[in-house]
Amino acid sequence: MLIDFAPARARTRESRAVPYVVAAVAFAGYAAWSLQRLRTFDASGFDLGIFEQAVRSYAHGHWPVSDLLGPGTPTLGDHFHPILALLAPCYLLWPSPGCLLVAQALLFALSAVPVTRCAILVLGSRRGALVGAGYVLSWGLLSAVNFDFHEVCFAVPMLAFTAEHLLHGRWRPAVWCALPLVLVKEDLPLTLAAVGVVLVLNRQRRLGWTVLVFGVAASALLFLVVLPALNPAGAYAHGGGFNPFSGAIVKVSMLLALLVPTAFAALRSPLLLLAVPTLLWRLVSANDRYWGMGYHYSAVLMPVVFLAGVHGARRFGGFKRYLPVCAVVVGLGSLGLQAAHLTSGVWTPSQRAGIDAVLARIPDGATVLASNRLAPRLTSRCTVLFFDGGTDQRPEWVVVATPEQSWPTTLQTKAAALADLEHTGYLRVDGTDSVVLLHRE
């Protein structure tokens, strides 16, 4: 079903360099964007702080836990992502949430190499470069960059190289690139199973069925056995129920947004089958956050859709004219929408300096109850618990942002909790108009 992807014309030295130039520019942009969010307190404990606590545990040779999820909560019982251990050596060199953000920027940028390379083979250097630019500006990647760090950043280049190998008929290298998906997140072995489906359709039956069965079995084992065993509640934490019939407009809008950057050419490629598992669990879930275009949930779909679009354009030449234009126009629109969220933050530079001065009073190694925006400033050097207005934890230090976020409880609940702490053994030792620091007497 997939055809030989090798072009009739030889590539020039310049065209071979283009994918790496696109990736380098993407890395610089993603990293700068992420670090700016961290600098202005737009990053959050949920989820950047959680992942930093897990990586920090690995770096110090411990079982990965996140106190933001609950004191001593094992993160492998929340989501199965042992691949995070690969970041431990980097974190030892740079013990900061910025380490995770830069690593994510690098992984996202790396995925642009196979996407741009395949686009150049089909469309030539200029048009292929435009498709590569559209890819790095795609809304799925920018939404993920604009929302902290997540383990799926490892899956994005894996899927990009897997799809490239499939397009060239390199079946075993494709499988080797896809196999580590089982270490990234519990649902991604189903995407590995989809790789097996593509192999079967291409008459690679023995290899394809082996991969398909392994992927399904691995995902079932993780959902039904491993995660419940590691979760303190004894169940999968993110089931959330099924609701396939709600949010039709949001779901259709998301599906259209996936296909428009490729001028719908992706529908012409069997590679699009790799996107089916992720789309299915999102669309049938009762959690409305999964249905739309926000957060990080669509990052793994971007390399699949773009490479399917390139393949579809090769199989049906009429798409070649529209694919680069659609990719760039939609990418620029995505950049505009996401850049609107890249502000100077809630606080002014002087207020941020005041917050940093207050946080500096908390000694290294202390246990702190902290607001969502403040947590990433402390997770590299303290044990940080999440201040949500409903916790019964009473650590030595409490630091609360003003204004607080209304998530996950109301502002009234959080204000009442702060007042209760001040009346039951905590003394306000420092603060500004942007932060309150309490110390237990």
Side-chain angles (χ1 to χ4, degrees):
M1 184 175 293
L2 295 180
I3 59 176
D4 183 11
F5 209 64
R9 60 186 183 278
R11 288 182 294 166
T12 65
R13 181 179 300 177
E14 290 76 13
S15 68
R16 287 195 295 269
V18 168
Y20 300 97
V21 173
V22 171
V25 173
F27 169 65
Y30 292 157
W33 188 306
S34 300
L35 294 175
Q36 167 69 2
R37 293 188 71 253
L38 179 63
R39 186 180 69 84
T40 58
F41 291 90
D42 280 337
S44 57
F46 277 69
D47 292 323
L48 178 58
I50 291 172
F51 283 106
E52 187 188 0
Q53 288 179 331
V55 173
R56 185 185 181 197
S57 298
Y58 280 124
H60 291 90
H62 303 309
W63 183 256
V65 299
S66 173
D67 295 298
L68 284 164
L69 290 172
T73 299
T75 58
L76 291 178
D78 184 55
H79 286 299
F80 189 75
H81 41 49
I83 200 166
L84 292 178
L86 294 178
L87 295 178
C90 301
Y91 189 81
L92 286 174
L93 296 174
W94 184 17
S96 164
C99 175
L100 278 67
L101 296 174
V102 171
Q104 176 173 261
L106 179 62
L107 290 164
F108 282 166
L110 180 62
S111 71
V113 173
V115 172
T116 309
R117 189 159 53 202
C118 289
I120 288 173
L121 288 177
V122 173
L123 304 170
S125 296
R126 293 183 180 179
R127 289 182 176 179
L130 288 176
V131 172
Y135 170 74
V136 300
L137 295 176
S138 61
W139 59 267
L141 293 183
L142 291 188
S143 293
V145 170
N146 214 25
F147 182 43
D148 294 351
F149 170 93
H150 295 88
E151 72 280 82
V152 295
C153 64
F154 284 94
V156 174
M158 290 179 194
L159 287 169
F161 284 103
T162 295
E164 182 185 33
H165 286 311
L166 289 173
L167 287 175
H168 287 282
R170 301 191 290 256
W171 313 121
R172 292 187 182 276
V175 172
W176 284 115
C177 284
L179 272 177
L181 290 172
V182 301
L183 303 177
V184 178
K185 195 164 174 276
E186 60 275 5
D187 63 292
L188 287 171
L190 294 175
T191 301
L192 174 62
V195 173
V197 172
V198 174
L199 292 173
V200 170
L201 292 175
N202 283 276
R203 301 179 182 177
Q204 303 297 310
R205 293 183 177 87
R206 179 178 297 180
L207 180 61
W209 280 108
T210 301
V211 172
L212 194 161
V213 172
F214 175 78
V216 172
S219 206
L221 182 66
L222 292 175
F223 279 116
L224 301 177
V225 179
V226 175
L227 285 165
L230 296 177
N231 191 290
Y236 178 53
H238 300 280
F242 294 89
N243 192 4
F245 304 109
S246 295
I249 295 177
V250 176
K251 293 174 180 178
V252 171
S253 299
M254 185 267 290
L255 292 174
L256 290 174
L258 279 174
L259 297 171
V260 167
T262 67
F264 294 92
L267 291 171
R268 298 283 186 170
S269 172
L271 269 186
L272 198 59
L273 290 171
L274 302 186
V276 170
T278 297
L279 288 173
L280 277 180
W281 71 255
R282 289 177 60 188
L283 296 178
V284 303
S285 173
N287 188 339
D288 58 2
R289 291 189 175 188
Y290 297 156
W291 307 343
M293 297 169 60
Y295 308 106
H296 57 287
Y297 302 113
S298 294
V300 297
L301 300 176
M302 293 297 110
V304 172
V305 170
F306 270 78
L307 283 167
V310 169
H311 182 224
R314 174 170 168 77
R315 299 180 75 194
F316 300 90
F319 289 98
K320 292 183 180 180
R321 180 181 304 174
Y322 304 108
L323 175 56
V325 175
C326 285
V328 170
V329 170
V330 175
L332 291 174
S334 172
L335 177 62
L337 290 173
Q338 293 297 328
H341 298 287
L342 187 65
T343 64
S344 59
V346 177
W347 298 292
T348 65
S350 61
Q351 288 175 318
R352 293 197 297 267
I355 294 173
D356 282 330
V358 171
L359 296 179
R361 292 199 54 180
I362 302 173
D364 293 352
T367 301
V368 189
L369 194 64
S371 293
N372 190 38
R373 291 193 188 101
L374 305 180
R377 282 290 211 276
L378 298 166
T379 43
S380 63
R381 62 184 185 88
C382 298
T383 298
V384 183
L385 307 170
F386 183 46
F387 176 77
D388 62 359
T391 182
D392 58 357
Q393 301 298 319
R394 297 179 66 83
E396 184 179 3
W397 297 89
V398 178
V399 61
V400 179
T402 56
E404 248 290 349
Q405 292 176 301
S406 58
W407 175 88
T409 53
T410 64
L411 294 177
Q412 292 80 2
T413 299
K414 292 185 177 183
L418 183 62
D420 181 66
L421 288 170
E422 293 192 75
H423 286 90
T424 55
Y426 282 86
L427 178 67
R428 185 177 298 212
V429 295
D430 203 348
T432 68
D433 60 345
S434 306
V435 64
V436 172
L437 179 64
L438 307 181
H439 184 258
R440 192 176 62 207
E441 295 179 300

